[in-house]
Amino acid sequence: MDGCLEASLSPLCIPQYVLGCSGRRMPLLGFGTAASPPVGSQLTKTAILQAIELGYRHFDTASLYGTEQPLGEAILEAIAVGLIKSRDELFITSKLWCSDAHGELVLPALQRSLKNLRLEYLDLYLIHWPVSSKPGIYEFPIKREDFLAMDFKAVWKAMEDCQRLGLTKSIGVSNFSCKKLGDILAFAKIPPAVNQVELNPLWQQKKLREFCKANGILLTAYAPLGAQGTIWGSNRVLECELLKEIAKQKGKTVAQICLRWAYEQGIGILVKSFNKDRMKSNLEIFNWSLSQEDVKKINDIPQSRLCSGQDYISKYGPFNTTQELWDGEI
Ligand code: NAP
């Protein structure tokens, strides 16, 4: 895969990808911090420390998740106890929430995230969803009447300014379709380095993968296991009979089959587990491979989204239907 190289920092040698524009190295397997239902700061911090100890070096948070603060505390403690020498050994992603997705609010939002994280810079800052909402209101789900169309030009320019100021090494988007990415690319001075979307064997995003590859954008998977147990996901991936069959034959878990498959597709992956055994087994995917036959079987699985994006649809607009949100990619 273009831009991929072996890790020098991670004890487990998680392969890394050199992001376009910034040249920053992103570990291709990262740790998600969004728990559903939320578990509180102390448990989050403990899980993150365990993850650092096990070898995770890439952490995904967002102002929405309420995990920036515990992540910041875990980083300080990891340095204090010698798990890592400095923050530079980590790759930290955070995201701009919809109510801050207004040109003049982007920089203050990033500064707040940095304060929560007690960091001087992020490695990656993403627009969380391609929609804005009324400024000053931090709520989820967003009230239907509070949605607003995003001024992509103004917001993206502000994101570019954040990178120029050195407050984030790279910028990108999340939950963007090919069409919406194309809209950004049409005027971007700094193109998005990453698009973070739902991606797993049941929703493989083949069209978006092609588009991102052609445009030098790293597609990164959230819900790679289908986000079982969360309000946005389901158990359909981990309960898929074909995946269970392949896992049994190979002596792996279904989760490992999903993660290995995603890795072999040349994308980034974010997986969340706050359970130490599962955190560890989710990392054990780099010293074996799937057979061509298994990959073909997985690639032929009938496709449907698990995370519909229904929470971002409003009769008041800008997206009246999921068709409009995903530009038909459903
Ligand atoms: P996920 O990683 O596919 O699934 C997480 C769920 O699977 C948790 O309930 C976890 O429970 C369980 N799990 C983890 N490893 C397992 C294993 N080996 N066997 C069985 N169950 C396992 O889904 P996700 O959390 O939605 O996605 C990962 C990260 O992506 C999030 O944490 C967040 O950082 C990011 N994300 C971004 C967006 C976005 O809009 N950009 C949306 C959703 C998520 P335990 O903790 O109990 O193990």
Side-chain angles (χ1 to χ4, degrees):
M1 178 174 53
D2 292 347
C4 184
L5 52 113
E6 286 303 308
S8 51
L9 300 172
S10 161
L12 275 167
C13 288
I14 296 173
Q16 300 181 331
Y17 182 89
V18 180
L19 290 177
C21 285
S22 69
R24 194 82 181 151
R25 293 171 178 198
M26 178 176 125
L28 279 165
L29 182 65
F31 187 85
T33 65
S36 167
V39 296
S41 286
Q42 193 52 47
L43 274 177
T44 306
K45 182 182 161 188
T46 304
I48 293 166
L49 273 167
Q50 286 176 337
I52 294 176
E53 197 175 0
L54 286 169
Y56 288 90
R57 290 294 178 267
H58 171 181
F59 292 85
D60 181 76
T61 182
S63 60
L64 177 71
Y65 303 162
T67 57
E68 289 177 329
Q69 232 158 336
L71 174 55
E73 286 169 18
I75 294 170
L76 286 181
E77 195 163 323
I79 296 168
V81 301
L83 288 175
I84 50 172
K85 287 197 184 70
S86 86
R87 172 264 176 272
D88 297 348
E89 292 178 27
L90 302 177
F91 187 101
I92 307 295
T93 300
S94 193
K95 310 187 193 85
L96 176 79
W97 185 235
C98 304
S99 54
D100 288 319
H102 303 272
E104 70 289 2
L105 299 183
V106 175
L107 177 60
L110 172 55
Q111 285 167 329
R112 261 196 323 277
S113 285
L114 289 171
K115 198 170 168 208
N116 288 338
L117 285 157
R118 305 192 210 180
L119 295 179
E120 283 172 8
Y121 69 91
L122 290 180
D123 295 284
L124 180 62
Y125 196 42
L126 304 177
I127 299 177
H128 205 149
W129 283 86
V131 65
S132 300
S133 63
K134 261 192 197 158
I137 303 173
Y138 295 90
E139 61 183 2
F140 185 82
I142 295 169
K143 280 196 205 73
R144 305 288 163 185
E145 59 272 28
D146 285 354
F147 281 107
L148 297 163
M150 188 185 295
D151 180 342
F152 283 134
K153 271 194 183 164
V155 172
W156 191 252
K157 184 184 173 301
M159 295 287 286
E160 291 175 333
D161 289 342
C162 291
Q163 179 169 331
R164 286 191 196 102
L165 286 168
L167 297 176
T168 182
K169 302 285 180 193
S170 306
I171 50 176
V173 296
S174 177
N175 297 300
F176 272 52
S177 64
C178 296
K179 155 117 190 18
K180 292 184 177 64
L181 271 177
D183 291 347
I184 297 267
L185 287 169
F187 53 73
K189 302 264 190 313
I190 304 175
V194 164
N195 184 19
Q196 188 188 113
V197 295
E198 178 197 345
L199 201 155
N200 51 55
L202 270 63
W203 186 242
Q204 301 182 12
Q205 299 270 22
K206 286 177 188 155
K207 184 176 169 195
L208 195 54
R209 260 157 55 195
E210 286 302 312
F211 184 89
C212 286
K213 197 171 172 201
N215 287 284
I217 299 167
L218 180 68
L219 198 62
T220 299
Y222 72 71
L225 310 180
Q228 170 172 274
T230 69
I231 50 165
W232 56 87
S234 97
N235 63 359
R236 278 173 42 216
V237 172
L238 292 180
E239 290 301 321
C240 169
E241 285 307 322
L242 173 77
L243 296 174
K244 281 186 184 175
E245 211 177 283
I246 296 173
K248 196 171 166 202
Q249 272 167 14
K250 293 202 84 76
K252 303 289 175 192
T253 66
V254 174
Q256 287 171 328
I257 299 295
C258 293
L259 298 172
R260 177 72 205 184
W261 169 82
Y263 171 63
E264 290 185 13
Q265 304 309 301
I267 57 165
I269 309 163
L270 297 164
V271 63
K272 176 264 168 186
S273 178
F274 284 4
N275 169 288
K276 200 170 182 183
D277 292 337
R278 291 193 283 276
M279 271 182 216
K280 185 169 179 296
S281 73
N282 290 345
L283 279 174
E284 291 165 355
I285 61 158
F286 296 114
N287 58 357
W288 54 277
S289 57
L290 290 163
S291 68
Q292 275 184 3
E293 200 187 317
D294 290 339
V295 173
K296 188 178 174 329
K297 282 189 202 158
I298 296 173
N299 288 350
D300 288 344
I301 291 176
Q303 297 293 292
S304 62
R305 271 184 196 280
L306 304 176
C307 310
S308 68
Q310 198 59 45
D311 286 325
Y312 300 87
I313 303 306
S314 166
K315 67 177 177 185
Y316 306 107
F319 305 123
N320 292 292
T321 62
T322 48
Q323 285 279 348
E324 287 175 15
L325 172 63
W326 303 116
D327 297 302
E329 292 164 21
I330 51 178

